[in-house]
Amino acid sequence: MTDLRSLTLTELEEEMKAMGEKPFRAKQLYGWMHQRLAVCYEEMTNLPKTLRDKCRERYDYTVLRPVRVQESALDGTRKYLFALADGNTVESVLMRYRHGNSVCISSQVGCRMGCRFCASTLDGLERSLLSSEMLEQVYAVMRHTGERVSHVVVMGSGEPLDNYDNLLRFIELLTDENGQHISQRNITVSTCGIVPKMRQLADRKLQITLALSLHAATDEKRRQLMPIAKRYSLQELTEACAYYFEQTGRRITFEYSLVKGVNDSDRDAEQLAGLIGRLNCHVNLIPVNPVKERDYVQSDRRAVDAFQEKLRRRGINVTVRRELGRDIDGACGQLRRRYMEERRTSDIF
Ligand code: SAH
């Protein structure tokens, strides 16, 4: 069945026409779905019952249900675990900043990229999310809090550029003036570096921020941490970043998770500066979040500061990401994993 909440307004108008409905019905329906965030047709009181019934028969209507919500006692960050219609679950995170509320969403159930330090990929990819399932993560948080969301980061579980078409449709719907109308500039998409898709995205000339998970400054080291580095070299990757900037005028954010004894030495910092020094970019240093299935250890405060200082002295824009939600399984994929483990054990007993 067609997924109603993934359709653009133009597509919805076509659907209404094909059903013999007046075009203005599309706008009404769209408003209920993307502005008023209705969870069912019953709410759509100004639509005739016959139309609501027809829609129910013909389309899937995606709604996410929170199955677990954890709020950090430290910083008010909230982590949501949502149930999808097929029984799968995804994680989203609400972060409250001075500049507004930001939601970090997942783009896939699981992930097939295999990064060594990441919990989302441990069981591989289950499936990609529909555009509506990405949108609903934002909408469901808005319904739950009653607050507006101004920023969205696609940095949860999954590789967004491995779900490219649904990602672009999601961005189109999220920024639409008939929906939530979130500014492209307030959207960040984080990728492990699928080079052809980065170039394709650049050609769309969107004003979103592209964040690239770098984590190492030599091919050899990056290959140890991220299997995708076996497909694309750092040379190809940095060229694609330069191209993205050329096409969009948006500077790239490089994410670099610091792992003790692996990528946090002075020499690593030097090599990183050499690699990206000429690019128009910003570096986000993230002390790696320990994942219990892996033995990676967070760099200590001194190493993080020294690393930052070294980059700064080389004229690179660099910040250390404030760690939010440390007490609530903040890192990618941790909450979902724990939930699944608990369910598994409760099935046994
Ligand atoms: N697949 C995309 C987006 C999801 S991961 C990507 O690779 O960018 C979002 C970010 O969190 C990435 O930079 C990823 O490398 C990082 N990450 C994953 N697990 C982490 C952990 N345990 N500690 C610190 N960062 C982690």
Side-chain angles (χ1 to χ4, degrees), residues 147-280:
E147 295 170 22
R148 198 180 140 68
V149 167
S150 56
H151 291 68
V152 173
V153 295
V154 189
M155 233 181 238
S157 295
E159 167 50 45
L161 298 191
D162 190 32
N163 187 14
Y164 185 82
D165 293 343
N166 289 346
L167 173 79
L168 282 193
R169 181 176 279 271
F170 159 76
I171 294 171
E172 184 178 346
L173 291 165
L174 188 64
T175 54
D176 184 8
E177 59 181 1
N178 297 297
Q180 288 305 311
H181 202 189
I182 291 181
S183 157
Q184 283 187 10
R185 289 171 169 266
N186 292 356
I187 299 175
T188 299
V189 171
S190 177
T191 179
C192 63
I194 303 179
V195 167
K197 295 288 179 199
M198 288 167 67
R199 288 183 167 269
Q200 225 173 306
L201 186 63
D203 289 334
R204 298 295 291 253
K205 297 191 192 311
L206 300 178
Q207 286 301 295
I208 61 170
T209 299
L210 185 64
L212 179 81
S213 302
L214 198 55
H215 306 319
T218 65
D219 281 312
E220 195 196 347
K221 206 166 262 191
R222 196 163 188 267
R223 281 187 213 117
Q224 286 165 16
L225 293 171
M226 305 173 74
I228 190 74
K230 293 174 193 156
R231 286 275 290 282
Y232 307 108
S233 67
L234 284 171
Q235 169 88 25
E236 290 170 290
L237 206 50
T238 46
E239 278 170 14
C241 289
Y243 183 71
Y244 190 87
F245 178 72
E246 253 169 60
Q247 293 297 302
T248 64
R250 303 285 293 162
R251 73 176 185 181
I252 300 279
T253 297
F254 287 110
E255 292 158 279
Y256 193 102
S257 295
L258 287 161
V259 188
K260 188 173 187 160
V262 173
N263 63 1
D264 65 345
S265 70
D266 271 5
R267 189 170 151 72
D268 291 311
E270 284 298 334
Q271 284 172 330
L272 179 60
L275 181 70
I276 61 169
R278 280 191 306 278
L279 291 172
N280 213 312

Side-chain angles (χ1 to χ4, degrees), residues 59-217:
Y59 305 107
D60 282 327
Y61 192 89
T62 301
V63 176
L64 267 50
R65 199 169 45 80
V67 287
R68 193 165 284 190
V69 183
Q70 296 186 352
E71 177 152 356
S72 166
L74 303 174
D75 51 42
T77 297
R78 274 194 209 164
K79 187 132 196 185
Y80 290 84
L81 188 72
F82 289 115
L84 305 171
D86 64 359
N88 277 306
T89 55
V90 286
E91 291 180 20
S92 322
V93 185
L94 163 69
M95 291 157 291
R96 293 194 161 96
Y97 295 106
R98 264 184 305 266
H99 62 253
N101 284 350
S102 179
V103 175
C104 172
I105 66 151
S106 297
S107 55
Q108 296 179 315
V109 182
C111 183
R112 59 177 176 151
M113 295 299 137
C115 300
R116 301 276 181 261
F117 42 80
C118 181
S120 301
T121 200
L122 289 166
D123 291 324
L125 175 68
E126 181 68 32
R127 70 169 173 89
S128 281
L129 294 184
L130 300 167
S131 308
S132 60
E133 291 169 327
M134 292 189 249
L135 281 170
E136 253 289 292
Q137 294 174 59
V138 180
Y139 296 173
V141 169
M142 291 176 76
R143 282 196 300 266
H144 188 258
T145 57
E147 295 170 22
R148 198 180 140 68
V149 167
S150 56
H151 291 68
V152 173
V153 295
V154 189
M155 233 181 238
S157 295
E159 167 50 45
L161 298 191
D162 190 32
N163 187 14
Y164 185 82
D165 293 343
N166 289 346
L167 173 79
L168 282 193
R169 181 176 279 271
F170 159 76
I171 294 171
E172 184 178 346
L173 291 165
L174 188 64
T175 54
D176 184 8
E177 59 181 1
N178 297 297
Q180 288 305 311
H181 202 189
I182 291 181
S183 157
Q184 283 187 10
R185 289 171 169 266
N186 292 356
I187 299 175
T188 299
V189 171
S190 177
T191 179
C192 63
I194 303 179
V195 167
K197 295 288 179 199
M198 288 167 67
R199 288 183 167 269
Q200 225 173 306
L201 186 63
D203 289 334
R204 298 295 291 253
K205 297 191 192 311
L206 300 178
Q207 286 301 295
I208 61 170
T209 299
L210 185 64
L212 179 81
S213 302
L214 198 55
H215 306 319

